[in-house]
Amino acid sequence: MKQTIYDKVRKMAKGFLPFYLFALLPLFSSCVDTLILPDNKTVDEDYWQTKGDVQTLVTAAYAQLRDEVAMRNMVVWGDFRSDELVVNPSLPVSAKYKVALSQLYTYNVETENEFTKWYPFYSCINYCNLVLEKAENVIKVDPNYMQGDFDANKAQVLALRAFCYFYLTRVFHDIPVTPHAYLKSSDDLNAPQEAPATVLQMCIDDLEEASKYAIAGNVFNDYRDKGYFNQDGINALLADIYLWRASVNRDAADYEKCVEYCDKVIKAKKGAYESTPHKPRMGEDNSEKDYYLSNYDEMYADLFGRNGQNAEESIFELQFLNSTDSKGSINNTGLDQMYFRYKNATSDSYGYLKAAKVFGTTDGTGKGVWNNKDDQRLFEFIYNPNGDNVETFDVRKFVATQSAGTTKTVDASRETRTDFQQNWIFYRLTDVMLMKAEALVQLYNLGGKAEEDTRNEEAFAICKFVNDRSLSESDRSSLALKYSTYKDDMEGLVLKERARELCFEGKRWYDLMRYNYRHTEQQADLTKKLTESYVTNSDAFFDLALRKYPAPSTMKAKMRDERYLYMPINQDEVEVNPALEQNPVYKSAAKY
């Protein structure tokens, strides 16, 4: 196992940075998949001599999330576990991850499951800790590395570390918090788990500290404006964390903070657009708007097309097309496997996962995802939607390099290509807009629904703006959303609009979890670990999350409480770290 991990990480790192930095140490003690230690060159004091040394390690921290394990996991954790995706029925028995995915689909998960591995995130955290502990000393030895350079580096790694911890606590609930950088294999690696309340507050504190030093957006005028954590990315992440905590705690103050940070992002994106030469957005006129989004016929090319990544409305993207290896790009192998080619081979032109029926059809009942058959996103994101007698659909988002076109060709091409270099978008403007809408609706609900309270109407206006972008000018007059239709279920409208706009981007499961926490009979307690306290899941959540299953009632019995919403800790980690407590609903195949 140790040698396998060593080989895997060497392969992962090769191509990102000079190879001599990555003769990584195999792990001799606990947390086999948790911590990937840097080599002696990054530990020795004589390494930390130049500005370039520091930047190399900052880049290395980002690079950990480009690992194919991290990419596969982000799709599985955020999309496959929701109502969006199912296992591709065409997969052969020999497909490497078919069994692991089938376990997750049926909620018969074993702790050896491939998708329980968290090491890329902890590897990223370790690099962040290393920069925080070592980089400031470089100011004394390199006159080109100044306090401002360190502050900018500090802001990035604080934000990136908070991002990783936030991801992990939403997936595993109780997670280890590493107190410092691990520099050698003889270090005591047995970090204990913390409950989510502690982790979330730590993330907020780190991000508020990072915000003091972070650069503004649109400084570099290249991929770094979206590939590095800047003020916009930090504010988007803070909004996301506050929205999560507010939903679990049902806390108006946290919803207010979410709105505050969303507004900061929205204001910054508006100012950046208006202060630079630009093409018209959302229509042919140049009139001032609250939000500037690509026109409906340019949206896909701008955000997901081969040469349109790092678009103006994007905030933070994981860089593949613009990565810093010797070729200038690196393949996004994990995403390729999940949505396009399960063996990364052109001859196997189908992925491990396909879109569930509810995401590929417009059923006209109002209970599905799509509001109407003329929504441009339906044709951009799904291959051959509304097919006759079809239960699953290929994902087109990220896979296709070109727009489906305004003629809404149902079988608009996916692609045939030898590489797959699509950036993974963590945050973009419409995501932040809809986070704000979600918070506004909850503030309206918590505020007693006073007649003069206009927050529901503001939330509706945001949803309408996002939805209007998906329609042609002529369609907007007849198909635009009407407040009178949705005013009694604005929470449902926001959830649907997020499903339409952000499907297959790793968001849906967390949206559904927030929805569940707002509707459970008992309020969950973030200060308690899953071994101490848990709540029964809500029927409202089951109605949405289980609709991809032929027999939802059977699945309901398998995921009756909150503990089932979180992944188990990989058995390797539990066996070597006695400080870890396993999620009590999972078992090890090796022990039973």
Side-chain angles (χ1 to χ4, degrees):
M1 173 61 73
K2 293 171 185 174
Q3 185 62 35
T4 300
I5 292 168
Y6 170 69
D7 289 342
K8 177 170 53 184
V9 178
R10 278 181 55 131
K11 182 178 180 182
M12 172 189 77
K14 189 176 180 181
F16 292 150
L17 296 167
F19 179 75
Y20 70 82
L21 289 174
F22 290 101
L24 302 179
L25 294 172
L27 302 180
F28 298 104
S29 57
S30 67
C31 297
V32 173
D33 269 0
T34 297
L35 299 163
I36 307 302
L37 302 181
D39 74 355
N40 289 333
K41 289 184 180 294
T42 66
V43 175
D44 292 344
E45 296 304 323
D46 62 0
Y47 172 78
W48 297 89
Q49 298 296 309
T50 69
K51 179 178 180 178
D53 292 341
V54 178
Q55 188 55 49
T56 294
L57 267 294
V58 173
T59 304
Y62 284 100
Q64 308 314 300
L65 299 183
R66 291 204 303 265
D67 174 56
E68 64 182 79
V69 172
M71 280 307 313
R72 283 197 301 267
N73 284 356
M74 285 188 284
V75 171
V76 169
W77 293 346
D79 291 307
F80 175 61
R81 299 194 77 204
S82 75
D83 55 342
E84 282 186 351
L85 297 168
V86 297
V87 181
N88 190 335
S90 299
L91 281 175
V93 175
S94 60
K96 185 174 182 180
Y97 305 115
K98 184 174 182 177
V99 171
L101 289 168
S102 297
Q103 285 182 11
L104 286 166
Y105 184 79
T106 58
Y107 277 83
N108 293 312
V109 187
E110 295 174 355
T111 58
E112 292 83 358
N113 189 287
E114 179 71 26
F115 298 99
T116 63
K117 294 180 179 179
W118 61 20
Y119 74 82
F121 290 87
Y122 276 105
S123 179
C124 179
I125 289 167
N126 202 43
Y127 275 104
C128 292
N129 286 341
L130 191 60
V131 172
L132 290 170
E133 292 176 18
K134 297 288 187 179
E136 191 169 20
N137 292 331
V138 178
I139 297 173
K140 302 173 185 177
V141 294
D142 183 359
N144 293 315
Y145 190 65
M146 302 180 183
Q147 185 66 43
D149 297 313
F150 171 69
D151 289 342
N153 291 147
K154 176 182 177 181
Q156 286 188 62
V157 294
L158 280 172
L160 193 55
R161 185 176 70 176
F163 173 83
C164 290
Y165 277 131
F166 179 49
Y167 231 103
L168 289 166
T169 198
R170 288 182 300 169
V171 175
F172 296 95
H173 198 274
D174 310 316
I175 60 171
V177 174
T178 57
H180 54 75
Y182 293 107
L183 307 179
K184 54 187 182 294
S185 57
S186 59
D187 286 347
D188 180 5
L189 308 182
N190 296 330
Q193 287 159 287
E194 300 288 351
T198 300
V199 176
L200 295 174
Q201 189 58 54
M202 178 190 68
C203 292
I204 290 170
D205 292 344
D206 279 354
L207 290 167
E208 289 179 345
E209 177 70 11
S211 186
K212 298 174 184 177
Y213 310 109
I215 59 175
N218 302 300
V219 169
F220 298 105
N221 294 316
D222 61 25
Y223 76 92
R224 290 173 292 179
D225 288 330
K226 308 298 188 294
Y228 290 169
F229 257 115
N230 56 29
Q231 286 282 1
D232 292 346
I234 289 170
N235 288 334
L237 179 53
L238 276 164
D240 205 0
I241 294 172
Y242 275 114
L243 183 60
W244 179 268
R245 193 169 76 173
S247 298
V248 180
N249 291 340
R250 306 174 189 179
D251 187 330
D254 275 355
Y255 282 124
E256 292 281 10
K257 294 293 287 186
C258 174
V259 172
E260 174 188 332
Y261 283 108
C262 288
D263 281 341
K264 288 182 178 183
V265 176
I266 291 166
K267 181 180 179 181
K269 299 296 281 185
K270 177 180 169 70
Y273 178 81
E274 292 178 346
S275 64
T276 57
H278 51 260
K279 58 185 179 181
R281 295 294 186 190
M282 279 291 288
E284 298 304 318
D285 64 281
N286 272 312
S287 61
E288 182 178 349
K289 301 175 177 66
D290 291 329
Y291 320 99
Y292 292 96
L293 304 178
S294 300
N295 290 323
Y296 88 109
D297 56 346
E298 298 172 324
M299 174 271 295
Y300 189 89
D302 282 351
L303 286 166
F304 307 105
R306 179 60 167 274
N307 297 314
Q309 301 181 84
N310 299 309
E312 286 180 314
E313 65 185 83
S314 184
I315 296 169
F316 179 44
E317 298 188 15
L318 189 60
Q319 302 293 308
F320 288 87
L321 185 62
N322 295 294
S323 63
T324 55
D325 75 332
S326 59
K327 298 178 182 178
S329 59
I330 188 166
N331 287 352
N332 190 342
T333 304
L335 184 59
D336 186 2
Q337 291 169 343
M338 292 296 102
Y339 290 159
F340 189 27
R341 304 171 301 191
Y342 78 98
K343 289 198 295 186
N344 307 116
T346 303
S347 59
D348 301 302
S349 56
Y350 50 86
Y352 273 99
L353 305 175
K354 298 186 77 169
K357 185 174 183 178
V358 70
F359 276 81
T361 58
T362 50
D363 61 8
T365 66
K367 296 181 180 180
V369 171
W370 300 100
N371 194 49
N372 63 74
K373 62 181 179 59
D374 293 304
D375 192 313
Q376 181 74 15
R377 296 168 296 188
L378 175 60
F379 302 89
E380 300 286 21
F381 300 166
I382 306 290
Y383 178 74
N384 197 16
N386 288 318
D388 292 337
N389 300 316
V390 176
E391 294 297 321
T392 60
F393 299 82
D394 286 319
V395 174
R396 193 175 182 279
K397 182 186 275 189
F398 291 113
V399 173
T401 61
Q402 295 182 342
S403 169
T406 57
T407 57
K408 301 182 178 66
T409 305
V410 296
D411 57 351
S413 174
R414 298 219 305 164
E415 298 297 326
T416 300
R417 50 186 169 175
T418 57
D419 59 4
F420 193 91
Q421 296 164 346
Q422 298 306 293
N423 287 355
W424 179 250
I425 301 175
F426 286 122
Y427 291 110
R428 55 190 181 94
L429 182 54
T430 50
D431 183 8
V432 173
M433 292 165 63
L434 291 168
M435 279 196 270
K436 178 181 177 180
E438 184 174 330
L440 286 171
V441 170
Q442 297 309 316
L443 284 168
Y444 175 83
N445 292 339
L446 291 171
K449 306 180 183 180
E451 186 175 340
E452 66 275 11
D453 193 334
T454 61
R455 285 178 286 195
N456 250 11
E457 293 179 55
E458 185 179 355
F460 173 80
I462 292 171
C463 291
K464 183 179 184 302
F465 197 98
V466 174
N467 194 269
D468 279 355
R469 192 261 287 274
S470 69
L471 302 172
S472 67
E473 293 279 359
S474 58
D475 284 340
R476 283 177 206 160
S477 61
S478 59
L479 297 175
L481 303 179
K482 294 180 174 60
Y483 182 60
S484 59
T485 304
Y486 297 99
K487 65 179 182 179
D488 294 328
D489 185 22
M490 280 300 304
E491 182 181 29
L493 174 61
V494 174
L495 192 62
K496 278 189 178 182
E497 197 56 45
R498 286 186 62 85
R500 291 188 282 260
E501 178 69 13
L502 302 168
C503 57
F504 319 128
E505 294 182 46
K507 304 286 183 179
R508 179 65 172 173
W509 180 243
Y510 310 117
D511 290 355
L512 291 175
M513 286 181 74
R514 291 196 306 273
Y515 183 79
N516 180 57
Y517 279 125
R518 293 195 293 263
H519 290 270
T520 56
E521 185 174 343
Q522 301 294 323
Q523 183 175 319
D525 188 346
L526 288 173
T527 68
K528 300 291 182 62
K529 297 179 182 179
L530 287 177
T531 53
E532 300 170 325
S533 174
Y534 56 89
V535 296
T536 302
N537 294 325
S538 71
D539 287 337
F541 165 78
F542 286 134
D543 288 344
L544 295 173
L546 301 182
R547 58 185 172 173
K548 70 180 181 182
Y549 292 98
S553 58
T554 302
M555 298 308 302
K556 181 177 177 179
K558 287 188 170 187
M559 53 183 301
R560 54 191 175 273
D561 63 59
E562 174 191 8
R563 297 172 298 174
Y564 294 86
L565 305 185
Y566 294 91
M567 295 288 284
I569 300 170
N570 190 276
Q571 189 63 25
D572 287 339
E573 307 289 353
V574 175
E575 290 179 357
V576 297
N577 183 355
L580 295 179
E581 292 182 282
Q582 181 62 273
N583 184 332
V585 300
Y586 296 104
K587 68 177 183 178
S588 165
K591 292 188 174 184
Y592 294 91

